[in-house]
């Protein structure tokens, strides 16, 4: 069941499902607004492999838009919301585009928000028109539609209990963390050994993403390792003398182990 304005207002006041809110934004949905922070896409020289965390992390330039930002024709930008969202176990949400923007050729992505999610979302805006438009902080860019489920989602299925809820409790500007898809996959190191990715964790001091992985062979030092995601997925010279596989990244995913390099 989709919640109406009165129900949304009650949940905001009693359950804090929307923080940094403005009650005037409540209608049959909640009008979301943008903050003064954004991520501008850089133009990189070469194609970007989705295995390459270092390039993905370097894909954005953080900017402030206090004085507005001119969005050029066919340009995209990631906009941080002013509001943060905190969903209970029995409510999910959708972010839908604003009609007035769509008619100008300014589109935002449809966003599904799982029960249990908490954080400040970054929303993609794409200018599909031939014109440049100036956008400003505090502008309404879309609608937050809230729906109740027939029953609460079991704890083990909530977003924050997934293996790697990389966008949980996010604040400010965050880009894509697509390499979290590689949890539970087998990777080969360029020296030939195979490893299993257990998880993606975050360094509490630097907020840097770390890959937690274990050896698929007996190792005297340790069978469990941690390495920065940017290093784990980085490009290497395929002509290195000890690159016996000839691969282009430090670790590369393998769907089938055709040759076991661990057997000397």
């Amino acid at each position: 069941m989709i919640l109406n304005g009165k129900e949304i207002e009650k949940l905001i006041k009693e359950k804090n499902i929307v923080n940094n809110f403005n009650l005037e934004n409540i209608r049959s949905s909640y009008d979301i607004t943008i903050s003064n922070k954004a991520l501008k896409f850089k133009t990189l020289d070469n194609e970007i492999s989705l295995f390459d965390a270092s390039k993905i992390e370097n894909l954005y330039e953080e900017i402030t838009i206090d004085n507005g930002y001119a969005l050029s024709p066919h340009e995209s930008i990631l906009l941080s919301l002013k509001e943060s969202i905190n969903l209970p176990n029995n409510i999910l949400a959708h972010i839908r585009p604003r009609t007035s923007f769509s008619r100008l050729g300014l589109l935002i992505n449809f966003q599904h928000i799982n029960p249990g999610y908490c954080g400040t979302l970054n929303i993609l805006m794409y200018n599909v028109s031939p014109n440049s438009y100036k956008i400003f902080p505090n502008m309404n860019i879309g609608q937050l539609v809230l729906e109740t489920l027939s029953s609460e989602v079991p704890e083990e299925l909530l977003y924050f209990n997934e293996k790697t809820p990389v966008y949980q409790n996010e604040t400010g500007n965050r880009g894509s963390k697509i390499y979290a898809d590689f949890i539970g996959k087998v990777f080969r190191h360029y020296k030939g050994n195979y490893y299993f990715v257990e998880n993606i964790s975050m360094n509490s001091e630097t907020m840097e993403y770390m890959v937690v992985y274990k050896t698929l062979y007996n190792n005297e030092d340790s069978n469990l390792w941690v390495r920065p995601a940017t290093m784990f997925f980085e490009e290497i010279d395929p002509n290195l003398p000890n690159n016996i596989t000839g691969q282009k990244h430090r670790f590369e995913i393998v769907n089938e182990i055709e040759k076991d390099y661990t057997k000397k």
Side-chain angles (χ1 to χ4, degrees), residues 75-88:
E75 181 185 4
S76 298
I77 194 169
L78 275 174
L79 299 165
S80 177
L81 293 185
K82 184 177 180 180
E83 300 86 2
S84 60
I85 298 166
N86 180 27
L87 295 183

Side-chain angles (χ1 to χ4, degrees), residues 45-57:
D45 294 334
N46 301 316
E47 66 181 17
I48 302 169
S49 168
L50 295 184
F51 292 112
D52 196 337
S54 60
K55 279 191 177 179
I56 291 174
E57 291 285 352

Side-chain angles (χ1 to χ4, degrees), residues 238-252:
N239 297 314
L240 287 173
N242 56 354
N243 187 352
I244 64 174
T245 66
Q247 60 196 51
K248 296 180 179 180
H249 297 85
R250 183 179 296 275
F251 289 86
E252 290 189 0

Side-chain angles (χ1 to χ4, degrees), residues 10 27 37 47 57 63 67 86-87 95 97 100 129 149 158 161-162 166 168 177-178 198 207 231 246 248-249 253:
K10 182 179 179 181
R27 293 178 176 81
K37 301 290 186 183
E47 66 181 17
E57 291 285 352
I63 62 173
N67 298 318
N86 180 27
L87 295 183
I95 291 178
S100 295
S129 82
L149 302 173
L158 290 172
N161 281 328
E162 292 183 5
V166 291
Q168 183 75 353
K177 306 298 178 187
I178 192 170
E198 290 277 356
M207 307 302 288
M231 181 183 293
K248 296 180 179 180
H249 297 85
I253 196 168

